Amino acid sequence: MNYQQTEIPDYNFAYLDEQTKRMIRRALLKAVAIPGYQVPFAGREMPMPYGWGTGGVQVTAAVIGPEDTLKVIDQGSDDTTNAVSIRKFFARTAGVETTEKTADADIIQTRHRIPEHPLREDQILVYQVPIPEPLRFLEPRETETRKMHALEEYGLMHVKLYEDIARHGHIATTYAYPALINDRYMMDPSPIPKFDNPKMDMMPALQLFGAGREKRIYALPPYTKVKSLDFEDHPFVIQSWEDVCGLCGAKDTFLDEVILDDQGNRMFVCSDSDHCNERQAKGHRGPQNRDDSLTEEVAL
Amino acid sequence: MSRDSNILLSIRDLTMMYGSRIGCQDVCFDLWPGEVLGIVGESGSGKSTLLNCISAQLEPSEGQVSYNTRIEGMKEVYQMSEPERRLLMRTDWAFVHQSPRDGLRMNVSAGANVGERLMAIGNRHYGDIRQSAENWLGKVEIESDRLDDLPSTFSGGMQQRLQIARNLVTGPRLVFMDEPTGGLDVSVQAKLLDLLRSLVRDLGLSVIIVTHDLAVARLLSNRLMVMQRGRIVEQGLTDQVLDDPQHAYTQLLVSSILQT
């Protein structure tokens, strides 16, 4: 469907007025020019509550075009409430094509995950960010954190990691894992699992981050260095699982634990539903998905 | 070598005005390495204003604060670039607040508190940081099994000692203290003073200590300055000032101590 075919459009294309989009694009340009730097922008009220991705929605609205195809994911899945409502929002206000296939999308708005499928140079990944300031919980004063960014005083971030090791014996931060961008700015990569941090490093796609409540935009241009923080004697490691995906048998994806009953039965499934479906379509099968005995050996 | 080239900190004509009110006025003094300088006076006399001006936390209206940096020699503190000044403040200088809550991070463990300065100057080895945190807790007489406890579970005296450890871990040369024993009971005060005295001696620290407690001043400081209404009214060796006060205000101050 093309938006021009709608007889009387109910909204301006992609909901925001053109001046607002222009303002956001200017902030985006600045953000791309200084990777990892938080650019303030005049965030608008959106027809959804804060915490539902108002920042991401504004960024997406500013970069989307009528010919683009949009994919929206929430916790890696295309069919959760948040993803469905944002996808519908753009289908209605911009009339754009939507898809659940990572490879077919031009713009992917995401919350909590980076798709397992490697992204390309012509794709844009838009993150919804709840708290853009990585230093916030250690230093609540905004004036002070800005100064720390300006002067590159990031020792405090390691205090948090130190505290993790002292309490848990290992770096227990598993999501929103702080990373140093292009050897300069400290960035909170939004609440994606640290499993996804290495994917950000040198990613061919453009990555944009929008925080609606805090009215900040930041960005990673394609092929930007992203280094997750660590200690020399406690290097950065991503999560790993002993199980494989129960549906597609994947061993190298981020797995969600699903409780099956109150008898202690559970299974692990890929959090990226599109990736999992794609693998199943190719004939991969996991241990809980063997009822048809067609190709079960492919899985292992 | 001339005497002047050894000066660690030099204050000239320092004046701080709050609008038309005087914070402190025309303060001049020098501090030599290893010297403990006490600043006494009643509350409102400008002691804390002076300390904040000297320690680069409050830019004075007039006057110079020069510090003998390790690499470049004498440099005016307020002429330095901000990164340079902040680096100085967290490496070569230390500031012990009256309330440990101002000087500590209450929501991270004692070890992290001590390690923070080390991480701030680029130490990235967990084992090393933890080791030196443990050593420093030992030096301020906190048992090493409290290393992973939050400062909020510590007693007031322990918090104050933790604050001192946290400040001294980077081996500063100059320590500012604002009423370090305020709010502690007498026996804990005595213990803390003992500790401070031995640390100052062992590490060869230079200290500027602000206090209204003349007993603290007598015990710790080599030299004493007495302030009244923002001005220094008398200065000299501690024993000299306290035993033979010349200025009327100093005489009043000394005579107001309860004699036992």
Side-chain angles (χ1 to χ4, degrees), chain A residues 100-130:
Chain A
E100 297 192 357
K101 298 227 172 306
T102 305
D104 296 345
D106 297 302
I107 297 171
I108 303 166
Q109 180 169 335
T110 180
R111 175 175 183 244
H112 296 145
R113 280 309 309 281
I114 296 175
E116 306 285 359
H117 196 286
L119 299 179
R120 303 181 310 263
E121 284 180 5
D122 60 347
Q123 291 179 311
I124 299 177
L125 190 57
V126 178
Y127 297 78
Q128 304 167 196
V129 182

Side-chain angles (χ1 to χ4, degrees), chain A residues 137-140 144 147-148 151 153-156 158-159 161-163 165-167 230-234, chain B residues 82-83 86-87 90 105 107-109 111-112 116 119-120 123-130 133 147-148 150:
Chain A
F137 291 108
L138 294 147
E139 179 51 72
E144 187 65 17
K147 199 167 270 181
M148 289 158 85
L151 301 177
E153 288 179 3
Y154 291 136
L156 197 52
H158 275 87
V159 173
L161 302 186
Y162 172 96
E163 197 64 7
I165 304 174
R167 284 191 195 175
D230 58 2
F231 283 105
E232 287 155 16
D233 47 346
H234 286 266
Chain B
E82 190 164 15
R86 284 172 68 107
L87 184 69
R90 62 168 193 264
R105 276 184 205 286
N107 53 359
V108 296
S109 68
E116 183 182 337
M119 293 181 243
N123 196 325
R124 294 289 178 262
H125 193 283
Y126 174 79
D128 293 351
I129 294 167
R130 197 171 167 80
L147 188 62
D148 294 333
L150 292 179

Side-chain angles (χ1 to χ4, degrees), chain A residues 259-265:
Chain A
I259 307 289
L260 299 175
D261 52 29
D262 58 1
Q263 308 298 309
N265 285 318

